[in-house]
Amino acid sequence: MNELNILDYWLILKKRKYPILLTTALVVAFTFAVTQFVQPTPFYEASARVKYDRTSSVASLLLESLSYSGSNDLGTQAEVIRSFPIIEEVARELHMFPEDVSLETRRSAPYLNTIYALQGQVKTARENDTTIIKVTASAEAPERAERIANTVAQVYRSENIKARNRMVTDSRRFVEEQVALRERMLNEAEEALRSFKERRGQVFLTEEAKAALDLFTKLEEDYNKVLRLKDEAFKQIGVLKRQETMEKKPDERIFTEDPSALLAILNGKLSNLLQERATLLIYYTPEHPQVKELDQKIRNVKTEMARELEFKIKNLNDREAALKEQIDQYRARYLNFPKAAIELARLDRDVKINSDLYATLKVKHQELLIKSAEQIEEVTIIAPAVAPAGPVNAPNNRLNMVVGTVMGVFLGIVLAFARESFDTSIGTIEGVEEFLKVPVLGVIPRFDEKEMLGTATKLLPPKTDQETILTLAKLACLVDPKSVLAESFRSMRTNIQFTSMDRKVKSILFTSAGLGEGKTTTVTNLAITLAQEGQRVLLVDADLRRPVIHKRFGIERKPGLLEALGGKIPWRESVRTVTDLMLGTLGVDRVINTPGMDNLNVLTSGADTGGAGDSMSLAKIAKLVPEMQEEYDVVLIDSPPILPVTDAVTVSSQVDGTVLVYQVGRIGRNALKRAKFLLDHAHAHVLGVVLTNVHAEITPEYGYYEYAYR
């Protein structure tokens, strides 16, 4: 891709300065008119800030395990603030509805639309990485915006306190029930132990028997625990695989005792997803795409949990078998002990277990009593809203004018570059040389086709067909050597010779950016002028896709270059000499009467290959160029255009020089510069550019050569 430098950009801006200034003035005027005559309705915003601190005491951790509320992150809380229940309570506080609203009224469209409209006036956002949530309310009056923002913050705080302390109360009642149950079981165990001691007296066991009994009891406890865990795992799998819909059981989940296990992590993830789903259902129906997507995530987590439970059951089965084997080993020894000793050990164990559980529950109960007295507050209003001083959409005239000016300049520059990109004209020869950084070697004027056809018709035999006449008419140096067109080719020959004085140039490649720019006409006429000067010239048709040179000279196309590249025929045997030219369409008289034609040899393209493999074959030409240079003074190669195919680029680095033919007005300047860039990238020695189809006018200031194009 061609890149413009800073100087190119500056020249374009300087050239298009008036359109840029005009565009800027129009945009500024339009901005001023809009600012003055189109005033928006004033709109005010007020913001309150609340801080959310999640409780982290032992009691709160117990509450979270009992109430499933393990995912109260700030994102969820920000959505809870805008939830329907909160906004509905805010509407009541703002007296938007009567005190007593019936259920039928709450389901009516006007009631719901009022709530949703108020909800649209409230925005929430977390501030950076803090635990602060910004609550912004908008309204058409500043006092109204302030009141809405503060009411939302107050209602959210009140509802949070109610919810958290309601969980404390429910949890305290649950623990109190467990304390009473465990106290009754402890009393029963102690009474049973006391009755046994009164009835049987003191029972003694040897140290060995006591150790064996303790170990056997421990094995039984472990065995019963494994059975309980297995039963729990089977029930958990049943819960996960139960085919109930989300609507019937939205909070379906399992519980695990091991907080570090993968199952606990998955369970926490499931809790988060379920709470997120409950939040979405505040705004959407269960058929909404977001809810359905969340349902699929929940199903995936449940499937993963089921796999983990199955793996857990497998491990428990192995543990159960091992424990059963150990129990069987100790059972024989256990049966030999006195039954009284066995019963005493069991009663002692029951008392100890119930006593430990009772003590633990009493501690939990005390913590919950403390929390009930504390009144848990997770939300704190740290900055109440104040009435805004001005509307958020108030027009800033100075800023608008600055923005209008910047936009005007920007739009003017864009239009200037757009116009420049569509402008393919180059005003002078000096402009072409400045644009491509190479000299103009020749200016081939536009010729009158009818005049050229008339001249060629007079010089050729009477029975020559029209197509042949049209083809040969372009050989101006042969058909009409005294014409201005022929003189321009001779001038080009001289310029090329002067350009190559500092280095020896024996092989020259002629190419163009696109199709139909006159490169074949240029190279064939140059070959004739060089031959007329006395140099031995070899003209090679390397345009294998669209060969034309054999038609221009009226000779056979094959054998030629393709046969030589394929190794079928040596290239020297494929070269056409003056004899072949005389036997062709030109005829004996025309060739003999044109001096120097015996110095011109032609190597045609060869047989038609359908285009397949041409580029690969063309790359082999580089191997033949040194051999051709040894036998001829000048080797002229006609190659395909650069932009459609890369053949010319491939060969350009292997020859002494490259000439770029450009038909003025046929293609854009960017395409021309792209062609030059590709040649430079291939390290080709670009001698210069030849301009074709030019209508030249010599101005009084000699040397200022302007041209126009059709």
Side-chain angles (χ1 to χ4, degrees), residues 21 28 46 60 147 155 236 268 309 324-325 467 545 608:
L21 293 176
V28 170
S60 66
R147 188 179 178 190
V155 170
Q236 290 170 343
L309 286 170
K324 189 172 182 181
E325 183 179 355
E467 183 179 356
R545 291 174 172 82
D608 184 10

Side-chain angles (χ1 to χ4, degrees), residues 297-313:
K297 292 182 180 179
I298 292 173
R299 285 190 287 271
N300 293 339
V301 173
K302 285 188 175 184
T303 301
E304 191 173 354
M305 293 175 70
R307 286 198 298 266
E308 182 66 20
L309 286 170
E310 291 173 356
F311 180 73
K312 177 181 178 181
I313 290 173

Side-chain angles (χ1 to χ4, degrees), residues 428-433 438-443 495 499 687-691:
T428 62
I429 293 177
E430 288 80 0
V432 175
E433 293 178 335
V438 293
V440 173
L441 301 176
V443 179
N495 291 335
T499 303
L687 299 178
V689 61
V690 174
L691 306 180

